[in-house]
Amino acid sequence: MRKTKKRKQQESVFQDVKDYELNPEAMIQTFHLTKIYNITEGIEIKALNGVSIDINKGEFVSVMGPSGSGKTTLLNMIGALDNPTNGAVYINRTNIAHMNDKQRTNLRLKEIGLIFQFYNLVPVLSAYENVELPMIFAGRTKQEIEKNVNKFLDLVGLIEKKDHLPSELSGGEQQRVAIARALCNEPSILIADEPTGELDTKMGMEIIKLLRELNLELNQTILMVTHDPLVGTLAERMLKMRDGKIIETVITNK
Amino acid sequence: MSIEKKKVRMNKQRRATAKAVRIDPDIVLTVKDLVKTYTIGNSTITALNKVNLTIRNGEFIAVVGPSGSGKTTLINCLGALDFPDSGEIIYNVDAKGMGLDIMQMTNKQHKKMRLNKIGLIFQFYNLFPILTAYENVELPMVIAKKDTKLREEKVKRLLKRIGLEERMEHLPTQMSGGEQQRVTIARALVNEPLIILADEPTGELDTETTTNIMKIFLELKNAGESILMVTHNVRIAEVADRIITLTDGKFTGEKKGGKSIDDIYK
């Protein structure tokens, strides 16, 4: 049922023979992205069915849709966390299917900052140590690490709690640590999968406000998945998904 | 953060370095009269009410109880992730009988304990999604600044031991729940801890995968590891050497286990 990673990668490369028309402004571009999961012999699920999107530098875009519409699958493809069955993903005009394992790891560590619904902090490490992790793995110097970890913990308003463990922080605070962790390598793109899914409305709005500030002040490109319409409309542009397809694009003028 | 948590942190910072006491070298951990309360609004909840426990080298102990009985609080206190109101948690830190009480340790010592002496396994795996299986297992060694060559040798050996050697370049999103939990077991073992503390390790898994995870625990036990597992699943607890019942923060019963996992799910 499960193919090896190597084989999957080769497939993507072979199917991506034609040159796609690239938009010079685009930070993220996907072309006819398809993802098929084989559940059991003979039963297939088309999680993505030909998704083509363009996201420019500095844009804040939300993806909305019911569960099972393919939102998270789309993020996993763009975040280089999984490989498409067909189609292509271009990050900064580079096809990520053409990258080797090392280049993809580098892309995930340096170019893309990922934020998840369940925060995914390491429970035995303090806020500071959680934020420095991607910088350690990216091989940054001690000085760079110290400067950026302090800078981004300050930006998310948690510098005074930097020595606290995740279990000593509220859900909203843990998500702020996760945002600082996603930002510490100064990525071109921030990808958030249901970042407010586990938070109450007030805390959720504070997280969205923080993302909005990052977008406006640092010109950070943000792609966010949510099933909450209130949260979704706070982005500049909202893509509505259903059954693995984009069915509507809404400009919110925010 | 609540006022209560702030108080705990301040107390923690004031603590001096723990004084060593001699304990039986065959004992991994002794817990005496452990009390933990939480204050929510005007009411106080006693999560742990004078808990006593001794774990010997190579023992596999299961603590069972319903939600809210204090299981997770127990793991968090023993794992230096949360701090009890009173009592003693003495670890045999050098495995030769030098006992140190977590309650008297400094923040720095707590961090060392969490990184090097205690292997924690959680229900929701808590893997770092952007890192591969290999890198997730390597993580505690990177933080502990261990040598690269030693890291490579150990991570590869552990991934082989849990049967994920061929999937070491895979990301958590490319693995099943059972595979992710196996990665966390390897991660918990990487710094050769004194004990493994597991909080509902099979809570998210189906019966077949649960059986496989329990088989790994039993293999670890047979290889000499000490394990404390908390679970609400009374059936799988039967594989442990001893099964202790936790009710409303108190140990209310104990029985012998040692059943084979294949007998439990036949």
mmCIF file of all heavy atoms in Angstrom, chain B residues 104-136:
data_model
loop_
_atom_site.group_PDB
_atom_site.id
_atom_site.type_symbol
_atom_site.label_atom_id
_atom_site.label_comp_id
_atom_site.label_asym_id
_atom_site.label_seq_id
_atom_site.Cartn_x
_atom_site.Cartn_y
_atom_site.Cartn_z
ATOM 1 N N GLN B 104 14.166 18.856 45.114
ATOM 2 C CA GLN B 104 15.198 19.791 45.601
ATOM 3 C C GLN B 104 16.127 20.262 44.485
ATOM 4 O O GLN B 104 17.112 20.932 44.741
ATOM 5 C CB GLN B 104 16.031 19.092 46.675
ATOM 6 C CG GLN B 104 15.246 18.802 47.933
ATOM 7 C CD GLN B 104 16.080 17.973 48.908
ATOM 8 O OE1 GLN B 104 17.296 17.936 48.832
ATOM 9 N NE2 GLN B 104 15.395 17.304 49.812
ATOM 10 N N MET B 105 15.827 19.885 43.268
ATOM 11 C CA MET B 105 16.754 20.219 42.176
ATOM 12 C C MET B 105 16.571 21.632 41.642
ATOM 13 O O MET B 105 15.493 22.207 41.741
ATOM 14 C CB MET B 105 16.568 19.234 41.021
ATOM 15 C CG MET B 105 17.100 17.867 41.319
ATOM 16 S SD MET B 105 16.906 16.830 39.854
ATOM 17 C CE MET B 105 17.355 15.255 40.545
ATOM 18 N N THR B 106 17.635 22.156 41.022
ATOM 19 C CA THR B 106 17.555 23.458 40.356
ATOM 20 C C THR B 106 16.950 23.257 38.966
ATOM 21 O O THR B 106 16.865 22.123 38.490
ATOM 22 C CB THR B 106 18.968 24.046 40.166
ATOM 23 O OG1 THR B 106 19.710 23.112 39.383
ATOM 24 C CG2 THR B 106 19.666 24.275 41.490
ATOM 25 N N ASN B 107 16.600 24.366 38.311
ATOM 26 C CA ASN B 107 16.049 24.282 36.947
ATOM 27 C C ASN B 107 17.003 23.556 36.006
ATOM 28 O O ASN B 107 16.597 22.791 35.148
ATOM 29 C CB ASN B 107 15.812 25.680 36.388
ATOM 30 C CG ASN B 107 14.583 26.306 37.001
ATOM 31 O OD1 ASN B 107 13.835 25.626 37.697
ATOM 32 N ND2 ASN B 107 14.392 27.583 36.758
ATOM 33 N N LYS B 108 18.294 23.845 36.183
ATOM 34 C CA LYS B 108 19.304 23.246 35.315
ATOM 35 C C LYS B 108 19.348 21.730 35.496
ATOM 36 O O LYS B 108 19.458 20.978 34.525
ATOM 37 C CB LYS B 108 20.669 23.855 35.658
ATOM 38 C CG LYS B 108 21.503 24.137 34.438
ATOM 39 C CD LYS B 108 22.750 24.854 34.823
ATOM 40 C CE LYS B 108 23.707 24.862 33.647
ATOM 41 N NZ LYS B 108 24.950 25.534 33.977
ATOM 42 N N GLN B 109 19.229 21.308 36.760
ATOM 43 C CA GLN B 109 19.244 19.861 37.023
ATOM 44 C C GLN B 109 17.980 19.191 36.468
ATOM 45 O O GLN B 109 18.040 18.079 35.968
ATOM 46 C CB GLN B 109 19.342 19.599 38.532
ATOM 47 C CG GLN B 109 20.743 19.810 39.070
ATOM 48 C CD GLN B 109 20.798 19.606 40.569
ATOM 49 O OE1 GLN B 109 19.985 20.161 41.310
ATOM 50 N NE2 GLN B 109 21.748 18.826 41.026
ATOM 51 N N HIS B 110 16.849 19.911 36.564
ATOM 52 C CA HIS B 110 15.605 19.363 35.996
ATOM 53 C C HIS B 110 15.768 19.124 34.506
ATOM 54 O O HIS B 110 15.350 18.107 33.975
ATOM 55 C CB HIS B 110 14.435 20.342 36.199
ATOM 56 C CG HIS B 110 13.918 20.330 37.594
ATOM 57 N ND1 HIS B 110 13.509 21.459 38.241
ATOM 58 C CD2 HIS B 110 13.734 19.320 38.464
ATOM 59 C CE1 HIS B 110 13.096 21.131 39.453
ATOM 60 N NE2 HIS B 110 13.227 19.849 39.611
ATOM 61 N N LYS B 111 16.391 20.088 33.842
ATOM 62 C CA LYS B 111 16.576 19.980 32.403
ATOM 63 C C LYS B 111 17.453 18.772 32.066
ATOM 64 O O LYS B 111 17.160 18.010 31.145
ATOM 65 C CB LYS B 111 17.239 21.282 31.915
ATOM 66 C CG LYS B 111 17.279 21.401 30.429
ATOM 67 C CD LYS B 111 17.927 22.691 30.011
ATOM 68 C CE LYS B 111 18.497 22.514 28.620
ATOM 69 N NZ LYS B 111 19.290 23.663 28.199
ATOM 70 N N LYS B 112 18.524 18.603 32.856
ATOM 71 C CA LYS B 112 19.410 17.450 32.639
ATOM 72 C C LYS B 112 18.672 16.145 32.850
ATOM 73 O O LYS B 112 18.881 15.174 32.114
ATOM 74 C CB LYS B 112 20.600 17.530 33.605
ATOM 75 C CG LYS B 112 21.751 18.305 33.043
ATOM 76 C CD LYS B 112 22.996 18.024 33.850
ATOM 77 C CE LYS B 112 24.201 18.684 33.233
ATOM 78 N NZ LYS B 112 25.328 18.772 34.164
ATOM 79 N N MET B 113 17.832 16.111 33.886
ATOM 80 C CA MET B 113 17.056 14.897 34.159
ATOM 81 C C MET B 113 16.182 14.562 32.958
ATOM 82 O O MET B 113 16.138 13.423 32.504
ATOM 83 C CB MET B 113 16.145 15.089 35.385
ATOM 84 C CG MET B 113 16.830 15.098 36.727
ATOM 85 S SD MET B 113 17.626 13.537 37.153
ATOM 86 C CE MET B 113 16.245 12.431 37.354
ATOM 87 N N ARG B 114 15.453 15.599 32.447
ATOM 88 C CA ARG B 114 14.529 15.368 31.335
ATOM 89 C C ARG B 114 15.263 14.904 30.082
ATOM 90 O O ARG B 114 14.768 14.093 29.319
ATOM 91 C CB ARG B 114 13.738 16.650 31.026
ATOM 92 C CG ARG B 114 12.650 16.952 32.019
ATOM 93 C CD ARG B 114 11.741 18.036 31.504
ATOM 94 N NE ARG B 114 12.419 19.308 31.358
ATOM 95 C CZ ARG B 114 12.404 20.272 32.274
ATOM 96 N NH1 ARG B 114 11.729 20.127 33.379
ATOM 97 N NH2 ARG B 114 13.047 21.393 32.071
ATOM 98 N N LEU B 115 16.439 15.459 29.863
ATOM 99 C CA LEU B 115 17.177 15.117 28.643
ATOM 100 C C LEU B 115 17.903 13.783 28.730
ATOM 101 O O LEU B 115 17.947 13.038 27.768
ATOM 102 C CB LEU B 115 18.202 16.201 28.330
ATOM 103 C CG LEU B 115 17.796 17.315 27.394
ATOM 104 C CD1 LEU B 115 18.979 18.230 27.145
ATOM 105 C CD2 LEU B 115 17.298 16.774 26.063
ATOM 106 N N ASN B 116 18.502 13.510 29.890
ATOM 107 C CA ASN B 116 19.418 12.364 29.973
ATOM 108 C C ASN B 116 18.950 11.207 30.825
ATOM 109 O O ASN B 116 19.430 10.103 30.663
ATOM 110 C CB ASN B 116 20.775 12.833 30.518
ATOM 111 C CG ASN B 116 21.430 13.820 29.605
ATOM 112 O OD1 ASN B 116 21.437 13.638 28.398
ATOM 113 N ND2 ASN B 116 21.961 14.888 30.159
ATOM 114 N N LYS B 117 18.068 11.456 31.766
ATOM 115 C CA LYS B 117 17.773 10.394 32.735
ATOM 116 C C LYS B 117 16.366 9.811 32.600
ATOM 117 O O LYS B 117 16.083 8.764 33.155
ATOM 118 C CB LYS B 117 17.952 10.924 34.174
ATOM 119 C CG LYS B 117 19.338 11.484 34.474
ATOM 120 C CD LYS B 117 20.371 10.383 34.587
ATOM 121 C CE LYS B 117 21.756 10.946 34.871
ATOM 122 N NZ LYS B 117 22.780 9.911 34.732
ATOM 123 N N ILE B 118 15.475 10.548 31.945
ATOM 124 C CA ILE B 118 14.084 10.093 31.853
ATOM 125 C C ILE B 118 13.679 10.047 30.384
ATOM 126 O O ILE B 118 13.885 11.005 29.646
ATOM 127 C CB ILE B 118 13.147 11.080 32.608
ATOM 128 C CG1 ILE B 118 13.569 11.195 34.074
ATOM 129 C CG2 ILE B 118 11.691 10.625 32.505
ATOM 130 C CD1 ILE B 118 12.956 12.368 34.805
ATOM 131 N N GLY B 119 13.112 8.915 29.976
ATOM 132 C CA GLY B 119 12.616 8.817 28.590
ATOM 133 C C GLY B 119 11.110 8.944 28.585
ATOM 134 O O GLY B 119 10.424 8.093 29.133
ATOM 135 N N LEU B 120 10.588 10.027 28.005
ATOM 136 C CA LEU B 120 9.134 10.257 28.044
ATOM 137 C C LEU B 120 8.454 9.891 26.726
ATOM 138 O O LEU B 120 8.935 10.230 25.651
ATOM 139 C CB LEU B 120 8.859 11.724 28.377
ATOM 140 C CG LEU B 120 8.989 12.084 29.865
ATOM 141 C CD1 LEU B 120 9.415 13.525 30.034
ATOM 142 C CD2 LEU B 120 7.675 11.841 30.602
ATOM 143 N N ILE B 121 7.320 9.195 26.848
ATOM 144 C CA ILE B 121 6.529 8.832 25.671
ATOM 145 C C ILE B 121 5.104 9.321 25.904
ATOM 146 O O ILE B 121 4.533 9.087 26.971
ATOM 147 C CB ILE B 121 6.539 7.298 25.467
ATOM 148 C CG1 ILE B 121 7.965 6.824 25.167
ATOM 149 C CG2 ILE B 121 5.586 6.881 24.349
ATOM 150 C CD1 ILE B 121 8.140 5.329 25.231
ATOM 151 N N PHE B 122 4.530 10.011 24.909
ATOM 152 C CA PHE B 122 3.208 10.612 25.083
ATOM 153 C C PHE B 122 2.176 9.980 24.154
ATOM 154 O O PHE B 122 2.526 9.384 23.134
ATOM 155 C CB PHE B 122 3.273 12.116 24.818
ATOM 156 C CG PHE B 122 4.250 12.836 25.699
ATOM 157 C CD1 PHE B 122 5.567 12.993 25.316
ATOM 158 C CD2 PHE B 122 3.850 13.341 26.924
ATOM 159 C CE1 PHE B 122 6.481 13.644 26.136
ATOM 160 C CE2 PHE B 122 4.753 13.984 27.744
ATOM 161 C CZ PHE B 122 6.070 14.139 27.348
ATOM 162 N N GLN B 123 0.911 10.220 24.494
ATOM 163 C CA GLN B 123 -0.179 9.658 23.683
ATOM 164 C C GLN B 123 -0.151 10.174 22.239
ATOM 165 O O GLN B 123 -0.383 9.441 21.302
ATOM 166 C CB GLN B 123 -1.518 10.014 24.352
ATOM 167 C CG GLN B 123 -2.718 9.502 23.607
ATOM 168 C CD GLN B 123 -4.016 9.749 24.367
ATOM 169 O OE1 GLN B 123 -4.010 10.328 25.452
ATOM 170 N NE2 GLN B 123 -5.117 9.327 23.804
ATOM 171 N N PHE B 124 0.115 11.491 22.090
ATOM 172 C CA PHE B 124 0.015 12.090 20.756
ATOM 173 C C PHE B 124 1.380 12.205 20.054
ATOM 174 O O PHE B 124 1.580 13.101 19.244
ATOM 175 C CB PHE B 124 -0.679 13.455 20.835
ATOM 176 C CG PHE B 124 -2.081 13.343 21.343
ATOM 177 C CD1 PHE B 124 -2.399 13.739 22.625
ATOM 178 C CD2 PHE B 124 -3.076 12.810 20.546
ATOM 179 C CE1 PHE B 124 -3.702 13.616 23.106
ATOM 180 C CE2 PHE B 124 -4.371 12.681 21.011
ATOM 181 C CZ PHE B 124 -4.690 13.084 22.299
ATOM 182 N N TYR B 125 2.293 11.317 20.420
ATOM 183 C CA TYR B 125 3.605 11.173 19.772
ATOM 184 C C TYR B 125 4.502 12.420 19.920
ATOM 185 O O TYR B 125 5.679 12.304 20.180
ATOM 186 C CB TYR B 125 3.507 10.785 18.284
ATOM 187 C CG TYR B 125 2.312 9.936 17.930
ATOM 188 C CD1 TYR B 125 1.486 10.251 16.860
ATOM 189 C CD2 TYR B 125 1.997 8.811 18.680
ATOM 190 C CE1 TYR B 125 0.389 9.470 16.545
ATOM 191 C CE2 TYR B 125 0.905 8.031 18.389
ATOM 192 C CZ TYR B 125 0.097 8.369 17.318
ATOM 193 O OH TYR B 125 -0.987 7.620 17.031
ATOM 194 N N ASN B 126 3.961 13.613 19.699
ATOM 195 C CA ASN B 126 4.752 14.841 19.814
ATOM 196 C C ASN B 126 6.042 14.827 18.998
ATOM 197 O O ASN B 126 7.091 15.241 19.473
ATOM 198 C CB ASN B 126 5.100 15.143 21.281
ATOM 199 C CG ASN B 126 3.873 15.559 22.055
ATOM 200 O OD1 ASN B 126 3.178 14.714 22.597
ATOM 201 N ND2 ASN B 126 3.560 16.831 22.070
ATOM 202 N N LEU B 127 5.948 14.353 17.779
ATOM 203 C CA LEU B 127 7.110 14.429 16.892
ATOM 204 C C LEU B 127 7.138 15.808 16.247
ATOM 205 O O LEU B 127 6.107 16.462 16.109
ATOM 206 C CB LEU B 127 7.021 13.356 15.807
ATOM 207 C CG LEU B 127 7.106 11.914 16.306
ATOM 208 C CD1 LEU B 127 6.916 10.946 15.149
ATOM 209 C CD2 LEU B 127 8.436 11.657 16.987
ATOM 210 N N PHE B 128 8.347 16.237 15.842
ATOM 211 C CA PHE B 128 8.490 17.533 15.185
ATOM 212 C C PHE B 128 8.208 17.279 13.690
ATOM 213 O O PHE B 128 8.977 16.579 13.027
ATOM 214 C CB PHE B 128 9.902 18.048 15.439
ATOM 215 C CG PHE B 128 10.104 19.491 15.096
ATOM 216 C CD1 PHE B 128 9.045 20.293 14.696
ATOM 217 C CD2 PHE B 128 11.368 20.052 15.178
ATOM 218 C CE1 PHE B 128 9.242 21.627 14.389
ATOM 219 C CE2 PHE B 128 11.574 21.388 14.865
ATOM 220 C CZ PHE B 128 10.505 22.169 14.473
ATOM 221 N N PRO B 129 7.087 17.826 13.160
ATOM 222 C CA PRO B 129 6.621 17.405 11.826
ATOM 223 C C PRO B 129 7.572 17.714 10.674
ATOM 224 O O PRO B 129 7.491 17.064 9.650
ATOM 225 C CB PRO B 129 5.317 18.194 11.644
ATOM 226 C CG PRO B 129 4.965 18.724 12.987
ATOM 227 C CD PRO B 129 6.223 18.842 13.757
ATOM 228 N N ILE B 130 8.460 18.683 10.824
ATOM 229 C CA ILE B 130 9.310 19.006 9.673
ATOM 230 C C ILE B 130 10.605 18.186 9.671
ATOM 231 O O ILE B 130 11.419 18.307 8.776
ATOM 232 C CB ILE B 130 9.627 20.511 9.558
ATOM 233 C CG1 ILE B 130 10.467 20.989 10.733
ATOM 234 C CG2 ILE B 130 8.350 21.333 9.432
ATOM 235 C CD1 ILE B 130 11.054 22.370 10.511
ATOM 236 N N LEU B 131 10.794 17.362 10.691
ATOM 237 C CA LEU B 131 12.005 16.537 10.731
ATOM 238 C C LEU B 131 11.680 15.083 10.413
ATOM 239 O O LEU B 131 10.591 14.604 10.719
ATOM 240 C CB LEU B 131 12.652 16.611 12.116
ATOM 241 C CG LEU B 131 13.118 17.984 12.602
ATOM 242 C CD1 LEU B 131 13.744 17.860 13.983
ATOM 243 C CD2 LEU B 131 14.116 18.621 11.646
ATOM 244 N N THR B 132 12.648 14.389 9.819
ATOM 245 C CA THR B 132 12.463 12.974 9.476
ATOM 246 C C THR B 132 12.499 12.121 10.745
ATOM 247 O O THR B 132 12.864 12.615 11.822
ATOM 248 C CB THR B 132 13.609 12.493 8.565
ATOM 249 O OG1 THR B 132 14.834 12.650 9.285
ATOM 250 C CG2 THR B 132 13.662 13.270 7.275
ATOM 251 N N ALA B 133 12.160 10.822 10.590
ATOM 252 C CA ALA B 133 12.214 9.885 11.719
ATOM 253 C C ALA B 133 13.615 9.912 12.336
ATOM 254 O O ALA B 133 13.769 10.018 13.551
ATOM 255 C CB ALA B 133 11.874 8.480 11.233
ATOM 256 N N TYR B 134 14.623 9.870 11.480
ATOM 257 C CA TYR B 134 16.013 9.877 11.949
ATOM 258 C C TYR B 134 16.291 11.126 12.794
ATOM 259 O O TYR B 134 16.800 11.046 13.902
ATOM 260 C CB TYR B 134 16.960 9.827 10.733
ATOM 261 C CG TYR B 134 18.420 9.807 11.092
ATOM 262 C CD1 TYR B 134 19.118 8.614 11.157
ATOM 263 C CD2 TYR B 134 19.105 10.987 11.370
ATOM 264 C CE1 TYR B 134 20.463 8.583 11.507
ATOM 265 C CE2 TYR B 134 20.448 10.976 11.722
ATOM 266 C CZ TYR B 134 21.124 9.777 11.785
ATOM 267 O OH TYR B 134 22.446 9.763 12.135
ATOM 268 N N GLU B 135 15.908 12.291 12.238
ATOM 269 C CA GLU B 135 16.205 13.555 12.941
ATOM 270 C C GLU B 135 15.417 13.684 14.240
ATOM 271 O O GLU B 135 15.908 14.244 15.222
ATOM 272 C CB GLU B 135 15.891 14.743 12.021
ATOM 273 C CG GLU B 135 16.865 14.870 10.873
ATOM 274 C CD GLU B 135 16.352 15.743 9.725
ATOM 275 O OE1 GLU B 135 15.120 15.904 9.598
ATOM 276 O OE2 GLU B 135 17.179 16.235 8.964
ATOM 277 N N ASN B 136 14.184 13.155 14.253
ATOM 278 C CA ASN B 136 13.394 13.195 15.484
ATOM 279 C C ASN B 136 14.040 12.361 16.587
ATOM 280 O O ASN B 136 14.040 12.762 17.747
ATOM 281 C CB ASN B 136 11.967 12.718 15.220
ATOM 282 C CG ASN B 136 11.026 13.874 14.929
ATOM 283 O OD1 ASN B 136 10.740 14.688 15.805
ATOM 284 N ND2 ASN B 136 10.551 13.978 13.696
#
